[in-house]
Amino acid sequence: MSEVSFKTSRALAEYPKEAKLKTGQKIVVRPLVKEDNDALLAFFRALPREDREKLKDDVTKPEVISHWTDNIDYESVIAILAFCDDKIIGDATLHRTTFGWSTHVGEIRIVTSQEFRAQGLGRLLLRELFFIALVLQLDKLIAQMPEEQAAARKVFRTLGFEQEAVLKNQIKDLEGRPHNLVIMSQEVIAFWKKIQDSIADTLADHSGS
Ligand SMILES: CC(C)(COP(=O)(O)OP(=O)(O)OC[C@H]1O[C@@H](n2cnc3c(N)ncnc32)[C@H](O)[C@@H]1OP(=O)(O)O)[C@@H](O)C(=O)NCCC(=O)NCCS
């Protein structure tokens, strides 16, 4: 594993963390390590084809997964995994560039196991990456998704992401049908300030002032 900056090690200092899904199911979230290779391959292979086609790599190939687990570099990609009884049930990644004009921007990708969908896992993983982005002092987060991915749009909207662009016929599914690609984005500090203001308002209401 390559060297980790002070900011990145601060962002990851609190892991592993325990959390609960809406069902009460206890899970653990923590960053990817090399030893997760086999479990990660099993997680991706278990995804239905329609989910896998939305990903940027062929995650059924062992060499694709081992390329990631052999070359972990948290300065470029932070992968946070969700575990239920040692089985991976979700993978959320924050991608950064270390050089050039977009080092202030992070891209988020999230995928969860079908059997754990609509239980709050996607939002939970997005929240983790949002707080990591805050500690890393990123200015802006983006996420890309097919226009018809309503669940993804809902998850990202709840964390303050708004639609920024639609790229027409930008992606094709495995049958070769074109789809529009939506880019959603969030201004990290502005969103954090909004949360803090709303907490301050709630506290003021309760104190009667
Ligand atoms: C997007 C994704 C990560 C969401 O994961 P999840 O674990 O189901 O997320 P959550 O449970 O936190 O929230 C999903 C929300 O979408 C809702 N939802 C599910 N299917 C939906 C649909 N077809 N239309 C509208 N809303 C839908 C759920 O009810 C839930 O909302 P609620 O909590 O208000 O009831 C998951 O669907 C996935 O892995 N998709 C494939 C990969 C992908 O498209 N990733 C996003 C781009 S990076």
mmCIF file with all atom_site columns, all heavy atoms in Angstrom, residues 22 51 54 108-112 117-123 144-145 149-152 154-155, ligand 1:
data_model
loop_
_atom_site.group_PDB
_atom_site.id
_atom_site.type_symbol
_atom_site.label_atom_id
_atom_site.label_alt_id
_atom_site.label_comp_id
_atom_site.label_asym_id
_atom_site.label_entity_id
_atom_site.label_seq_id
_atom_site.pdbx_PDB_ins_code
_atom_site.Cartn_x
_atom_site.Cartn_y
_atom_site.Cartn_z
_atom_site.occupancy
_atom_site.B_iso_or_equiv
_atom_site.pdbx_formal_charge
_atom_site.auth_seq_id
_atom_site.auth_comp_id
_atom_site.auth_asym_id
_atom_site.auth_atom_id
_atom_site.pdbx_PDB_model_num
ATOM   1   N N   . LYS A 1 22  ? -31.942 -0.114 8.255   1.00 0.00 ? 22  LYS A N   1
ATOM   2   C CA  . LYS A 1 22  ? -33.321 0.169  8.691   1.00 0.00 ? 22  LYS A CA  1
ATOM   3   C C   . LYS A 1 22  ? -33.969 -1.046 9.342   1.00 0.00 ? 22  LYS A C   1
ATOM   4   O O   . LYS A 1 22  ? -34.862 -0.919 10.163  1.00 0.00 ? 22  LYS A O   1
ATOM   5   C CB  . LYS A 1 22  ? -34.169 0.551  7.477   1.00 0.00 ? 22  LYS A CB  1
ATOM   6   C CG  . LYS A 1 22  ? -34.009 1.974  7.013   1.00 0.00 ? 22  LYS A CG  1
ATOM   7   C CD  . LYS A 1 22  ? -34.975 2.217  5.877   1.00 0.00 ? 22  LYS A CD  1
ATOM   8   C CE  . LYS A 1 22  ? -34.723 3.534  5.207   1.00 0.00 ? 22  LYS A CE  1
ATOM   9   N NZ  . LYS A 1 22  ? -35.502 3.668  3.965   1.00 0.00 ? 22  LYS A NZ  1
ATOM   10  N N   . ASP A 1 51  ? -26.900 -4.458 -13.065 1.00 0.00 ? 51  ASP A N   1
ATOM   11  C CA  . ASP A 1 51  ? -26.109 -3.568 -12.205 1.00 0.00 ? 51  ASP A CA  1
ATOM   12  C C   . ASP A 1 51  ? -24.668 -3.506 -12.678 1.00 0.00 ? 51  ASP A C   1
ATOM   13  O O   . ASP A 1 51  ? -24.040 -2.452 -12.688 1.00 0.00 ? 51  ASP A O   1
ATOM   14  C CB  . ASP A 1 51  ? -26.113 -4.079 -10.760 1.00 0.00 ? 51  ASP A CB  1
ATOM   15  C CG  . ASP A 1 51  ? -27.405 -3.738 -10.060 1.00 0.00 ? 51  ASP A CG  1
ATOM   16  O OD1 . ASP A 1 51  ? -28.183 -2.955 -10.619 1.00 0.00 ? 51  ASP A OD1 1
ATOM   17  O OD2 . ASP A 1 51  ? -27.629 -4.281 -8.967  1.00 0.00 ? 51  ASP A OD2 1
ATOM   18  N N   . LYS A 1 54  ? -23.596 -1.135 -15.364 1.00 0.00 ? 54  LYS A N   1
ATOM   19  C CA  . LYS A 1 54  ? -23.500 0.298  -15.049 1.00 0.00 ? 54  LYS A CA  1
ATOM   20  C C   . LYS A 1 54  ? -22.117 0.651  -14.518 1.00 0.00 ? 54  LYS A C   1
ATOM   21  O O   . LYS A 1 54  ? -21.803 1.812  -14.304 1.00 0.00 ? 54  LYS A O   1
ATOM   22  C CB  . LYS A 1 54  ? -24.540 0.672  -14.003 1.00 0.00 ? 54  LYS A CB  1
ATOM   23  C CG  . LYS A 1 54  ? -25.966 0.500  -14.484 1.00 0.00 ? 54  LYS A CG  1
ATOM   24  C CD  . LYS A 1 54  ? -26.960 0.971  -13.450 1.00 0.00 ? 54  LYS A CD  1
ATOM   25  C CE  . LYS A 1 54  ? -28.369 0.620  -13.873 1.00 0.00 ? 54  LYS A CE  1
ATOM   26  N NZ  . LYS A 1 54  ? -28.918 -0.542 -13.173 1.00 0.00 ? 54  LYS A NZ  1
ATOM   27  N N   . ILE A 1 108 ? -17.874 10.056 -6.702  1.00 0.00 ? 108 ILE A N   1
ATOM   28  C CA  . ILE A 1 108 ? -18.364 8.967  -5.852  1.00 0.00 ? 108 ILE A CA  1
ATOM   29  C C   . ILE A 1 108 ? -19.075 7.907  -6.685  1.00 0.00 ? 108 ILE A C   1
ATOM   30  O O   . ILE A 1 108 ? -19.846 8.229  -7.592  1.00 0.00 ? 108 ILE A O   1
ATOM   31  C CB  . ILE A 1 108 ? -19.321 9.545  -4.781  1.00 0.00 ? 108 ILE A CB  1
ATOM   32  C CG1 . ILE A 1 108 ? -18.508 10.297 -3.735  1.00 0.00 ? 108 ILE A CG1 1
ATOM   33  C CG2 . ILE A 1 108 ? -20.160 8.444  -4.136  1.00 0.00 ? 108 ILE A CG2 1
ATOM   34  C CD1 . ILE A 1 108 ? -19.297 10.857 -2.591  1.00 0.00 ? 108 ILE A CD1 1
ATOM   35  N N   . ARG A 1 109 ? -18.792 6.648  -6.397  1.00 0.00 ? 109 ARG A N   1
ATOM   36  C CA  . ARG A 1 109 ? -19.518 5.535  -7.018  1.00 0.00 ? 109 ARG A CA  1
ATOM   37  C C   . ARG A 1 109 ? -19.964 4.600  -5.897  1.00 0.00 ? 109 ARG A C   1
ATOM   38  O O   . ARG A 1 109 ? -19.168 4.298  -4.997  1.00 0.00 ? 109 ARG A O   1
ATOM   39  C CB  . ARG A 1 109 ? -18.615 4.753  -7.993  1.00 0.00 ? 109 ARG A CB  1
ATOM   40  C CG  . ARG A 1 109 ? -18.108 5.631  -9.121  1.00 0.00 ? 109 ARG A CG  1
ATOM   41  C CD  . ARG A 1 109 ? -17.164 4.871  -10.033 1.00 0.00 ? 109 ARG A CD  1
ATOM   42  N NE  . ARG A 1 109 ? -16.369 5.823  -10.806 1.00 0.00 ? 109 ARG A NE  1
ATOM   43  C CZ  . ARG A 1 109 ? -15.227 5.543  -11.404 1.00 0.00 ? 109 ARG A CZ  1
ATOM   44  N NH1 . ARG A 1 109 ? -14.730 4.315  -11.333 1.00 0.00 ? 109 ARG A NH1 1
ATOM   45  N NH2 . ARG A 1 109 ? -14.571 6.454  -12.080 1.00 0.00 ? 109 ARG A NH2 1
ATOM   46  N N   . ILE A 1 110 ? -21.200 4.154  -5.971  1.00 0.00 ? 110 ILE A N   1
ATOM   47  C CA  . ILE A 1 110 ? -21.729 3.272  -4.917  1.00 0.00 ? 110 ILE A CA  1
ATOM   48  C C   . ILE A 1 110 ? -22.483 2.112  -5.542  1.00 0.00 ? 110 ILE A C   1
ATOM   49  O O   . ILE A 1 110 ? -23.238 2.303  -6.498  1.00 0.00 ? 110 ILE A O   1
ATOM   50  C CB  . ILE A 1 110 ? -22.712 4.029  -3.992  1.00 0.00 ? 110 ILE A CB  1
ATOM   51  C CG1 . ILE A 1 110 ? -22.033 5.240  -3.361  1.00 0.00 ? 110 ILE A CG1 1
ATOM   52  C CG2 . ILE A 1 110 ? -23.253 3.113  -2.893  1.00 0.00 ? 110 ILE A CG2 1
ATOM   53  C CD1 . ILE A 1 110 ? -22.904 6.024  -2.420  1.00 0.00 ? 110 ILE A CD1 1
ATOM   54  N N   . VAL A 1 111 ? -22.288 0.935  -4.992  1.00 0.00 ? 111 VAL A N   1
ATOM   55  C CA  . VAL A 1 111 ? -23.107 -0.204 -5.397  1.00 0.00 ? 111 VAL A CA  1
ATOM   56  C C   . VAL A 1 111 ? -23.375 -1.064 -4.161  1.00 0.00 ? 111 VAL A C   1
ATOM   57  O O   . VAL A 1 111 ? -22.487 -1.267 -3.332  1.00 0.00 ? 111 VAL A O   1
ATOM   58  C CB  . VAL A 1 111 ? -22.470 -0.984 -6.577  1.00 0.00 ? 111 VAL A CB  1
ATOM   59  C CG1 . VAL A 1 111 ? -21.112 -1.522 -6.233  1.00 0.00 ? 111 VAL A CG1 1
ATOM   60  C CG2 . VAL A 1 111 ? -23.362 -2.111 -7.047  1.00 0.00 ? 111 VAL A CG2 1
ATOM   61  N N   . THR A 1 112 ? -24.635 -1.499 -4.028  1.00 0.00 ? 112 THR A N   1
ATOM   62  C CA  . THR A 1 112 ? -24.996 -2.333 -2.873  1.00 0.00 ? 112 THR A CA  1
ATOM   63  C C   . THR A 1 112 ? -25.578 -3.668 -3.356  1.00 0.00 ? 112 THR A C   1
ATOM   64  O O   . THR A 1 112 ? -26.106 -3.750 -4.472  1.00 0.00 ? 112 THR A O   1
ATOM   65  C CB  . THR A 1 112 ? -26.030 -1.613 -1.963  1.00 0.00 ? 112 THR A CB  1
ATOM   66  O OG1 . THR A 1 112 ? -27.187 -1.288 -2.730  1.00 0.00 ? 112 THR A OG1 1
ATOM   67  C CG2 . THR A 1 112 ? -25.460 -0.342 -1.359  1.00 0.00 ? 112 THR A CG2 1
ATOM   68  N N   . ARG A 1 117 ? -30.951 -3.934 -0.616  1.00 0.00 ? 117 ARG A N   1
ATOM   69  C CA  . ARG A 1 117 ? -31.413 -2.634 -1.152  1.00 0.00 ? 117 ARG A CA  1
ATOM   70  C C   . ARG A 1 117 ? -32.602 -2.094 -0.353  1.00 0.00 ? 117 ARG A C   1
ATOM   71  O O   . ARG A 1 117 ? -33.342 -2.864 0.261   1.00 0.00 ? 117 ARG A O   1
ATOM   72  C CB  . ARG A 1 117 ? -31.837 -2.797 -2.622  1.00 0.00 ? 117 ARG A CB  1
ATOM   73  C CG  . ARG A 1 117 ? -30.697 -3.196 -3.536  1.00 0.00 ? 117 ARG A CG  1
ATOM   74  C CD  . ARG A 1 117 ? -30.167 -2.080 -4.370  1.00 0.00 ? 117 ARG A CD  1
ATOM   75  N NE  . ARG A 1 117 ? -28.895 -2.474 -4.948  1.00 0.00 ? 117 ARG A NE  1
ATOM   76  C CZ  . ARG A 1 117 ? -28.737 -2.885 -6.208  1.00 0.00 ? 117 ARG A CZ  1
ATOM   77  N NH1 . ARG A 1 117 ? -29.776 -2.919 -7.022  1.00 0.00 ? 117 ARG A NH1 1
ATOM   78  N NH2 . ARG A 1 117 ? -27.543 -3.201 -6.658  1.00 0.00 ? 117 ARG A NH2 1
ATOM   79  N N   . ALA A 1 118 ? -32.768 -0.773 -0.461  1.00 0.00 ? 118 ALA A N   1
ATOM   80  C CA  . ALA A 1 118 ? -33.881 -0.052 0.188   1.00 0.00 ? 118 ALA A CA  1
ATOM   81  C C   . ALA A 1 118 ? -33.889 -0.276 1.708   1.00 0.00 ? 118 ALA A C   1
ATOM   82  O O   . ALA A 1 118 ? -34.932 -0.308 2.342   1.00 0.00 ? 118 ALA A O   1
ATOM   83  C CB  . ALA A 1 118 ? -35.223 -0.441 -0.433  1.00 0.00 ? 118 ALA A CB  1
ATOM   84  N N   . GLN A 1 119 ? -32.722 -0.454 2.275   1.00 0.00 ? 119 GLN A N   1
ATOM   85  C CA  . GLN A 1 119 ? -32.593 -0.600 3.743   1.00 0.00 ? 119 GLN A CA  1
ATOM   86  C C   . GLN A 1 119 ? -31.700 0.497  4.315   1.00 0.00 ? 119 GLN A C   1
ATOM   87  O O   . GLN A 1 119 ? -31.213 0.396  5.429   1.00 0.00 ? 119 GLN A O   1
ATOM   88  C CB  . GLN A 1 119 ? -32.012 -1.976 4.091   1.00 0.00 ? 119 GLN A CB  1
ATOM   89  C CG  . GLN A 1 119 ? -32.898 -3.128 3.661   1.00 0.00 ? 119 GLN A CG  1
ATOM   90  C CD  . GLN A 1 119 ? -32.315 -4.483 4.026   1.00 0.00 ? 119 GLN A CD  1
ATOM   91  O OE1 . GLN A 1 119 ? -31.547 -4.616 4.974   1.00 0.00 ? 119 GLN A OE1 1
ATOM   92  N NE2 . GLN A 1 119 ? -32.683 -5.493 3.271   1.00 0.00 ? 119 GLN A NE2 1
ATOM   93  N N   . GLY A 1 120 ? -31.414 1.501  3.479   1.00 0.00 ? 120 GLY A N   1
ATOM   94  C CA  . GLY A 1 120 ? -30.617 2.627  3.960   1.00 0.00 ? 120 GLY A CA  1
ATOM   95  C C   . GLY A 1 120 ? -29.117 2.464  3.757   1.00 0.00 ? 120 GLY A C   1
ATOM   96  O O   . GLY A 1 120 ? -28.335 3.331  4.153   1.00 0.00 ? 120 GLY A O   1
ATOM   97  N N   . LEU A 1 121 ? -28.703 1.358  3.122   1.00 0.00 ? 121 LEU A N   1
ATOM   98  C CA  . LEU A 1 121 ? -27.261 1.109  2.983   1.00 0.00 ? 121 LEU A CA  1
ATOM   99  C C   . LEU A 1 121 ? -26.595 2.097  2.017   1.00 0.00 ? 121 LEU A C   1
ATOM   100 O O   . LEU A 1 121 ? -25.499 2.610  2.290   1.00 0.00 ? 121 LEU A O   1
ATOM   101 C CB  . LEU A 1 121 ? -27.034 -0.339 2.520   1.00 0.00 ? 121 LEU A CB  1
ATOM   102 C CG  . LEU A 1 121 ? -25.587 -0.769 2.315   1.00 0.00 ? 121 LEU A CG  1
ATOM   103 C CD1 . LEU A 1 121 ? -24.761 -0.578 3.584   1.00 0.00 ? 121 LEU A CD1 1
ATOM   104 C CD2 . LEU A 1 121 ? -25.514 -2.235 1.862   1.00 0.00 ? 121 LEU A CD2 1
ATOM   105 N N   . GLY A 1 122 ? -27.238 2.369  0.889   1.00 0.00 ? 122 GLY A N   1
ATOM   106 C CA  . GLY A 1 122 ? -26.669 3.309  -0.076  1.00 0.00 ? 122 GLY A CA  1
ATOM   107 C C   . GLY A 1 122 ? -26.449 4.678  0.557   1.00 0.00 ? 122 GLY A C   1
ATOM   108 O O   . GLY A 1 122 ? -25.376 5.278  0.427   1.00 0.00 ? 122 GLY A O   1
ATOM   109 N N   . ARG A 1 123 ? -27.459 5.154  1.284   1.00 0.00 ? 123 ARG A N   1
ATOM   110 C CA  . ARG A 1 123 ? -27.342 6.469  1.947   1.00 0.00 ? 123 ARG A CA  1
ATOM   111 C C   . ARG A 1 123 ? -26.240 6.461  3.006   1.00 0.00 ? 123 ARG A C   1
ATOM   112 O O   . ARG A 1 123 ? -25.491 7.423  3.146   1.00 0.00 ? 123 ARG A O   1
ATOM   113 C CB  . ARG A 1 123 ? -28.658 6.838  2.617   1.00 0.00 ? 123 ARG A CB  1
ATOM   114 C CG  . ARG A 1 123 ? -29.681 7.391  1.668   1.00 0.00 ? 123 ARG A CG  1
ATOM   115 C CD  . ARG A 1 123 ? -30.769 8.114  2.465   1.00 0.00 ? 123 ARG A CD  1
ATOM   116 N NE  . ARG A 1 123 ? -31.851 8.483  1.587   1.00 0.00 ? 123 ARG A NE  1
ATOM   117 C CZ  . ARG A 1 123 ? -32.922 7.731  1.351   1.00 0.00 ? 123 ARG A CZ  1
ATOM   118 N NH1 . ARG A 1 123 ? -33.044 6.569  1.929   1.00 0.00 ? 123 ARG A NH1 1
ATOM   119 N NH2 . ARG A 1 123 ? -33.867 8.142  0.532   1.00 0.00 ? 123 ARG A NH2 1
ATOM   120 N N   . GLN A 1 144 ? -22.045 9.995  -11.327 1.00 0.00 ? 144 GLN A N   1
ATOM   121 C CA  . GLN A 1 144 ? -22.617 9.787  -12.659 1.00 0.00 ? 144 GLN A CA  1
ATOM   122 C C   . GLN A 1 144 ? -23.542 8.588  -12.623 1.00 0.00 ? 144 GLN A C   1
ATOM   123 O O   . GLN A 1 144 ? -23.207 7.581  -11.993 1.00 0.00 ? 144 GLN A O   1
ATOM   124 C CB  . GLN A 1 144 ? -21.507 9.498  -13.669 1.00 0.00 ? 144 GLN A CB  1
ATOM   125 C CG  . GLN A 1 144 ? -20.438 10.568 -13.714 1.00 0.00 ? 144 GLN A CG  1
ATOM   126 C CD  . GLN A 1 144 ? -19.416 10.280 -14.796 1.00 0.00 ? 144 GLN A CD  1
ATOM   127 O OE1 . GLN A 1 144 ? -19.732 9.754  -15.850 1.00 0.00 ? 144 GLN A OE1 1
ATOM   128 N NE2 . GLN A 1 144 ? -18.172 10.637 -14.535 1.00 0.00 ? 144 GLN A NE2 1
ATOM   129 N N   . MET A 1 145 ? -24.664 8.692  -13.302 1.00 0.00 ? 145 MET A N   1
ATOM   130 C CA  . MET A 1 145 ? -25.609 7.556  -13.312 1.00 0.00 ? 145 MET A CA  1
ATOM   131 C C   . MET A 1 145 ? -26.513 7.628  -14.531 1.00 0.00 ? 145 MET A C   1
ATOM   132 O O   . MET A 1 145 ? -26.750 8.722  -15.063 1.00 0.00 ? 145 MET A O   1
ATOM   133 C CB  . MET A 1 145 ? -26.452 7.566  -12.038 1.00 0.00 ? 145 MET A CB  1
ATOM   134 C CG  . MET A 1 145 ? -27.320 8.779  -11.897 1.00 0.00 ? 145 MET A CG  1
ATOM   135 S SD  . MET A 1 145 ? -27.620 9.241  -10.196 1.00 0.00 ? 145 MET A SD  1
ATOM   136 C CE  . MET A 1 145 ? -26.041 9.764  -9.600  1.00 0.00 ? 145 MET A CE  1
ATOM   137 N N   . GLN A 1 149 ? -31.946 5.683  -13.464 1.00 0.00 ? 149 GLN A N   1
ATOM   138 C CA  . GLN A 1 149 ? -31.585 5.073  -12.173 1.00 0.00 ? 149 GLN A CA  1
ATOM   139 C C   . GLN A 1 149 ? -32.209 5.894  -11.029 1.00 0.00 ? 149 GLN A C   1
ATOM   140 O O   . GLN A 1 149 ? -31.539 6.656  -10.336 1.00 0.00 ? 149 GLN A O   1
ATOM   141 C CB  . GLN A 1 149 ? -30.070 5.055  -12.051 1.00 0.00 ? 149 GLN A CB  1
ATOM   142 C CG  . GLN A 1 149 ? -29.352 3.825  -11.642 1.00 0.00 ? 149 GLN A CG  1
ATOM   143 C CD  . GLN A 1 149 ? -29.945 2.978  -10.539 1.00 0.00 ? 149 GLN A CD  1
ATOM   144 O OE1 . GLN A 1 149 ? -31.011 3.196  -9.984  1.00 0.00 ? 149 GLN A OE1 1
ATOM   145 N NE2 . GLN A 1 149 ? -29.217 1.948  -10.203 1.00 0.00 ? 149 GLN A NE2 1
ATOM   146 N N   . ALA A 1 150 ? -33.519 5.694  -10.822 1.00 0.00 ? 150 ALA A N   1
ATOM   147 C CA  . ALA A 1 150 ? -34.255 6.528  -9.862  1.00 0.00 ? 150 ALA A CA  1
ATOM   148 C C   . ALA A 1 150 ? -33.748 6.360  -8.433  1.00 0.00 ? 150 ALA A C   1
ATOM   149 O O   . ALA A 1 150 ? -33.670 7.336  -7.684  1.00 0.00 ? 150 ALA A O   1
ATOM   150 C CB  . ALA A 1 150 ? -35.737 6.192  -9.946  1.00 0.00 ? 150 ALA A CB  1
ATOM   151 N N   . ALA A 1 151 ? -33.399 5.131  -8.043  1.00 0.00 ? 151 ALA A N   1
ATOM   152 C CA  . ALA A 1 151 ? -32.938 4.897  -6.665  1.00 0.00 ? 151 ALA A CA  1
ATOM   153 C C   . ALA A 1 151 ? -31.653 5.685  -6.400  1.00 0.00 ? 151 ALA A C   1
ATOM   154 O O   . ALA A 1 151 ? -31.507 6.332  -5.361  1.00 0.00 ? 151 ALA A O   1
ATOM   155 C CB  . ALA A 1 151 ? -32.713 3.410  -6.430  1.00 0.00 ? 151 ALA A CB  1
ATOM   156 N N   . ALA A 1 152 ? -30.744 5.655  -7.359  1.00 0.00 ? 152 ALA A N   1
ATOM   157 C CA  . ALA A 1 152 ? -29.472 6.366  -7.188  1.00 0.00 ? 152 ALA A CA  1
ATOM   158 C C   . ALA A 1 152 ? -29.719 7.874  -7.085  1.00 0.00 ? 152 ALA A C   1
ATOM   159 O O   . ALA A 1 152 ? -29.147 8.551  -6.229  1.00 0.00 ? 152 ALA A O   1
ATOM   160 C CB  . ALA A 1 152 ? -28.553 6.066  -8.362  1.00 0.00 ? 152 ALA A CB  1
ATOM   161 N N   . LYS A 1 154 ? -32.337 9.363  -6.041  1.00 0.00 ? 154 LYS A N   1
ATOM   162 C CA  . LYS A 1 154 ? -32.961 9.655  -4.744  1.00 0.00 ? 154 LYS A CA  1
ATOM   163 C C   . LYS A 1 154 ? -31.905 9.692  -3.631  1.00 0.00 ? 154 LYS A C   1
ATOM   164 O O   . LYS A 1 154 ? -31.867 10.610 -2.821  1.00 0.00 ? 154 LYS A O   1
ATOM   165 C CB  . LYS A 1 154 ? -34.008 8.577  -4.445  1.00 0.00 ? 154 LYS A CB  1
ATOM   166 C CG  . LYS A 1 154 ? -34.831 8.844  -3.220  1.00 0.00 ? 154 LYS A CG  1
ATOM   167 C CD  . LYS A 1 154 ? -35.956 7.852  -3.134  1.00 0.00 ? 154 LYS A CD  1
ATOM   168 C CE  . LYS A 1 154 ? -36.909 8.227  -2.007  1.00 0.00 ? 154 LYS A CE  1
ATOM   169 N NZ  . LYS A 1 154 ? -37.958 7.223  -1.839  1.00 0.00 ? 154 LYS A NZ  1
ATOM   170 N N   . VAL A 1 155 ? -31.042 8.685  -3.622  1.00 0.00 ? 155 VAL A N   1
ATOM   171 C CA  . VAL A 1 155 ? -30.005 8.594  -2.588  1.00 0.00 ? 155 VAL A CA  1
ATOM   172 C C   . VAL A 1 155 ? -29.118 9.848  -2.625  1.00 0.00 ? 155 VAL A C   1
ATOM   173 O O   . VAL A 1 155 ? -28.864 10.482 -1.596  1.00 0.00 ? 155 VAL A O   1
ATOM   174 C CB  . VAL A 1 155 ? -29.157 7.317  -2.796  1.00 0.00 ? 155 VAL A CB  1
ATOM   175 C CG1 . VAL A 1 155 ? -27.877 7.354  -1.978  1.00 0.00 ? 155 VAL A CG1 1
ATOM   176 C CG2 . VAL A 1 155 ? -29.973 6.077  -2.454  1.00 0.00 ? 155 VAL A CG2 1
HETATM 177 C C1  . LIG B 2 .   ? -28.211 3.233  -6.056  1.00 0.00 ? 1   LIG B C1  1
HETATM 178 C C2  . LIG B 2 .   ? -27.985 2.194  -4.989  1.00 0.00 ? 1   LIG B C2  1
HETATM 179 C C3  . LIG B 2 .   ? -26.540 2.292  -4.498  1.00 0.00 ? 1   LIG B C3  1
HETATM 180 C C4  . LIG B 2 .   ? -28.925 2.470  -3.803  1.00 0.00 ? 1   LIG B C4  1
HETATM 181 O O1  . LIG B 2 .   ? -28.634 1.549  -2.770  1.00 0.00 ? 1   LIG B O1  1
HETATM 182 P P1  . LIG B 2 .   ? -29.647 1.219  -1.580  1.00 0.00 ? 1   LIG B P1  1
HETATM 183 O O2  . LIG B 2 .   ? -28.869 0.396  -0.611  1.00 0.00 ? 1   LIG B O2  1
HETATM 184 O O3  . LIG B 2 .   ? -30.900 0.651  -2.084  1.00 0.00 ? 1   LIG B O3  1
HETATM 185 O O4  . LIG B 2 .   ? -29.904 2.697  -1.001  1.00 0.00 ? 1   LIG B O4  1
HETATM 186 P P2  . LIG B 2 .   ? -30.926 3.207  0.131   1.00 0.00 ? 1   LIG B P2  1
HETATM 187 O O5  . LIG B 2 .   ? -31.642 2.049  0.737   1.00 0.00 ? 1   LIG B O5  1
HETATM 188 O O6  . LIG B 2 .   ? -30.173 4.104  1.032   1.00 0.00 ? 1   LIG B O6  1
HETATM 189 O O7  . LIG B 2 .   ? -31.927 4.131  -0.677  1.00 0.00 ? 1   LIG B O7  1
HETATM 190 C C5  . LIG B 2 .   ? -32.552 3.726  -1.855  1.00 0.00 ? 1   LIG B C5  1
HETATM 191 C C6  . LIG B 2 .   ? -33.802 4.556  -2.014  1.00 0.00 ? 1   LIG B C6  1
HETATM 192 O O8  . LIG B 2 .   ? -34.279 4.450  -3.351  1.00 0.00 ? 1   LIG B O8  1
HETATM 193 C C7  . LIG B 2 .   ? -35.618 3.980  -3.312  1.00 0.00 ? 1   LIG B C7  1
HETATM 194 N N1  . LIG B 2 .   ? -35.862 3.254  -4.552  1.00 0.00 ? 1   LIG B N1  1
HETATM 195 C C8  . LIG B 2 .   ? -35.512 1.977  -4.868  1.00 0.00 ? 1   LIG B C8  1
HETATM 196 N N2  . LIG B 2 .   ? -35.912 1.707  -6.118  1.00 0.00 ? 1   LIG B N2  1
HETATM 197 C C9  . LIG B 2 .   ? -36.479 2.841  -6.599  1.00 0.00 ? 1   LIG B C9  1
HETATM 198 C C10 . LIG B 2 .   ? -37.097 3.186  -7.840  1.00 0.00 ? 1   LIG B C10 1
HETATM 199 N N3  . LIG B 2 .   ? -37.153 2.323  -8.840  1.00 0.00 ? 1   LIG B N3  1
HETATM 200 N N4  . LIG B 2 .   ? -37.605 4.433  -7.963  1.00 0.00 ? 1   LIG B N4  1
HETATM 201 C C11 . LIG B 2 .   ? -37.522 5.334  -6.962  1.00 0.00 ? 1   LIG B C11 1
HETATM 202 N N5  . LIG B 2 .   ? -36.955 5.062  -5.773  1.00 0.00 ? 1   LIG B N5  1
HETATM 203 C C12 . LIG B 2 .   ? -36.446 3.825  -5.595  1.00 0.00 ? 1   LIG B C12 1
HETATM 204 C C13 . LIG B 2 .   ? -35.700 3.154  -2.067  1.00 0.00 ? 1   LIG B C13 1
HETATM 205 O O9  . LIG B 2 .   ? -37.039 2.979  -1.642  1.00 0.00 ? 1   LIG B O9  1
HETATM 206 C C14 . LIG B 2 .   ? -34.907 4.034  -1.099  1.00 0.00 ? 1   LIG B C14 1
HETATM 207 O O10 . LIG B 2 .   ? -35.632 5.168  -0.695  1.00 0.00 ? 1   LIG B O10 1
HETATM 208 P P3  . LIG B 2 .   ? -36.278 5.280  0.788   1.00 0.00 ? 1   LIG B P3  1
HETATM 209 O O11 . LIG B 2 .   ? -35.168 4.981  1.753   1.00 0.00 ? 1   LIG B O11 1
HETATM 210 O O12 . LIG B 2 .   ? -36.740 6.685  0.873   1.00 0.00 ? 1   LIG B O12 1
HETATM 211 O O13 . LIG B 2 .   ? -37.359 4.258  0.823   1.00 0.00 ? 1   LIG B O13 1
HETATM 212 C C15 . LIG B 2 .   ? -28.294 0.748  -5.521  1.00 0.00 ? 1   LIG B C15 1
HETATM 213 O O14 . LIG B 2 .   ? -29.570 0.755  -6.114  1.00 0.00 ? 1   LIG B O14 1
HETATM 214 C C16 . LIG B 2 .   ? -27.269 0.244  -6.534  1.00 0.00 ? 1   LIG B C16 1
HETATM 215 O O15 . LIG B 2 .   ? -26.256 -0.337 -6.146  1.00 0.00 ? 1   LIG B O15 1
HETATM 216 N N6  . LIG B 2 .   ? -27.510 0.460  -7.864  1.00 0.00 ? 1   LIG B N6  1
HETATM 217 C C17 . LIG B 2 .   ? -26.595 -0.011 -8.918  1.00 0.00 ? 1   LIG B C17 1
HETATM 218 C C18 . LIG B 2 .   ? -25.337 0.877  -9.017  1.00 0.00 ? 1   LIG B C18 1
HETATM 219 C C19 . LIG B 2 .   ? -25.681 2.352  -9.219  1.00 0.00 ? 1   LIG B C19 1
HETATM 220 O O16 . LIG B 2 .   ? -26.500 2.709  -10.047 1.00 0.00 ? 1   LIG B O16 1
HETATM 221 N N7  . LIG B 2 .   ? -25.015 3.220  -8.424  1.00 0.00 ? 1   LIG B N7  1
HETATM 222 C C20 . LIG B 2 .   ? -25.265 4.657  -8.443  1.00 0.00 ? 1   LIG B C20 1
HETATM 223 C C21 . LIG B 2 .   ? -24.381 5.400  -9.341  1.00 0.00 ? 1   LIG B C21 1
HETATM 224 S S1  . LIG B 2 .   ? -22.785 5.654  -8.654  1.00 0.00 ? 1   LIG B S1  1
#
